[in-house]
Amino acid sequence: MVNVSMTNPDSKASSPLIMPGEATSTCWSCGTMRAEHFCSACGKVQPPVPVDYFTFFGLPRKLDIDVAGLEREFYLLSRRLHPDLYSGADKREQEWSLEQSSQLNDAYRALKDPIKRTEYLLRLEGVELEEQSKSATEQARATGQVKKQVVPPDLLEEVFDLNMQLEELRMQKKMGEDDPALIEEIGRQKLELEEKHEALLEELKRDWRVWDQAVDSGAEADRLKIRDQMVDLLNRRNYLRNLVRDVNEVLES
């Protein structure tokens, strides 16, 4: 199921995001039409603008990006925006370079990682993924509540059998017993889950190309369809990741 939330994903920005293509203001120092981060005429650092991470790097909202190019642009901007360069500059420039450097780091961390990049774009689309995080697991344990966790339908039987085996192993460990055959079987299933988890990344990359094509063509129905497909895939991947973590906890306890 796809949950839709219109919450701004960039919580640090209090004003609405500026969308790609929207006009920006003139330079605060010389009055020339400002560039993205620096004035094209006088080179002064400009006030941070609440744009999304893709726009910050001058990228369209696509997923199959040039990561090497992103890295080059990151290091270029890092050198130009570093607060140490503006220690003797106007106090406003000092503050803006610090804020822009922070925004740069956040944007780079989100976009360089394929999963974080996809999750971020989906949040921009108003989609909130199912909560499968470790913090949610720990909170559920602390409060006694049941963590929200939707088992992928095709894994129901497999997960049921695995959970029964994990419970049996927990009981054996409490009693100081050891069943090598059971441990071996659980280990085998864990490897299969890890393989499925990795395979989903390749499937996600194929979805990127479909998404990018839909963005280029302006086919709204295709874009929404592949968006929902990526949401389901990421929820499935998160579930497998956390299931593997739970298995490791039992095996290592």
Side-chain angles (χ1 to χ4, degrees):
M1 178 179 179
V2 179
N3 297 319
V4 178
S5 169
M6 299 312 294
T7 302
N8 184 346
D10 299 309
S11 59
K12 293 181 182 179
S14 58
S15 55
L17 292 179
I18 292 178
M19 304 301 289
E22 289 190 31
T24 55
S25 60
T26 57
C27 174
W28 62 273
S29 179
C30 69
T32 303
M33 181 60 70
R34 57 168 287 183
E36 193 75 29
H37 309 294
F38 309 91
C39 176
S40 57
C42 68
K44 294 287 187 179
V45 175
Q46 298 300 298
V49 177
V51 295
D52 66 75
Y53 294 159
F54 291 94
T55 304
F56 187 90
F57 278 105
L59 297 171
R61 288 185 183 179
K62 293 184 177 181
L63 290 168
D64 196 8
I65 68 174
D66 178 6
V67 177
L70 176 73
E71 183 176 15
R72 288 193 297 271
E73 183 68 9
F74 168 71
Y75 284 116
L76 175 64
L77 289 174
S78 292
R79 289 192 292 270
R80 293 194 63 189
L81 287 170
H82 199 285
D84 288 351
L85 296 176
Y86 302 93
S87 58
D90 183 282
K91 182 175 177 59
R92 291 173 296 178
E93 271 198 281
Q94 295 179 31
E95 294 175 351
W96 293 336
S97 68
L98 183 62
E99 291 177 31
Q100 287 221 49
S101 291
S102 177
Q103 190 175 4
L104 171 67
N105 290 329
D106 290 343
Y108 180 63
R109 280 194 295 267
L111 297 186
K112 71 174 181 177
D113 182 272
I115 301 301
K116 290 180 180 179
R117 178 165 70 247
T118 308
E119 291 177 340
Y120 179 74
L121 184 139
L122 290 172
R123 290 200 299 275
L124 289 177
E125 288 292 306
V127 176
E128 184 175 334
L129 298 175
E130 293 168 4
E131 181 53 64
Q132 303 282 356
S133 68
K134 186 174 182 180
S135 61
T137 301
E138 293 171 348
Q139 182 179 0
R141 289 174 178 172
T143 61
Q145 298 176 343
V146 177
K147 184 183 72 171
K148 178 181 180 182
Q149 185 162 259
V150 180
V151 182
D154 61 314
L155 291 176
L156 276 172
E157 184 175 349
E158 181 179 352
V159 170
F160 177 80
D161 291 339
L162 178 59
N163 282 332
M164 292 291 289
Q165 291 172 329
L166 290 174
E167 186 58 32
E168 182 179 352
L169 183 58
R170 289 189 188 97
M171 294 300 297
Q172 288 182 0
K173 286 179 175 289
K174 286 182 180 179
M175 298 172 64
E177 299 176 355
D178 189 15
D179 185 347
L182 179 60
I183 293 175
E184 182 179 353
E185 174 59 20
I186 293 175
R188 182 190 64 77
Q189 293 186 60
K190 188 193 81 164
L191 290 176
E192 290 181 356
L193 293 172
E194 289 173 337
E195 291 174 358
K196 291 178 180 178
H197 180 264
E198 290 304 312
L200 287 175
L201 177 57
E202 296 306 312
E203 187 176 339
L204 182 64
K205 290 179 180 178
R206 291 194 292 271
D207 287 348
W208 290 351
R209 291 188 284 273
V210 179
W211 167 270
D212 292 353
Q213 290 169 2
V215 170
D216 287 335
S217 67
E220 181 69 5
D222 292 343
R223 191 179 66 83
L224 294 177
K225 181 179 178 181
I226 196 62
R227 181 202 69 178
D228 293 351
Q229 185 170 314
M230 288 191 294
V231 170
D232 290 339
L233 191 152
L234 284 172
N235 282 331
R236 177 187 175 90
R237 192 174 185 275
N238 288 342
Y239 180 84
L240 288 172
R241 178 200 65 201
N242 290 313
L243 184 57
V244 169
R245 187 192 63 231
D246 292 343
V247 171
N248 285 331
E249 287 180 357
V250 176
L251 289 175
E252 295 169 4
S253 62

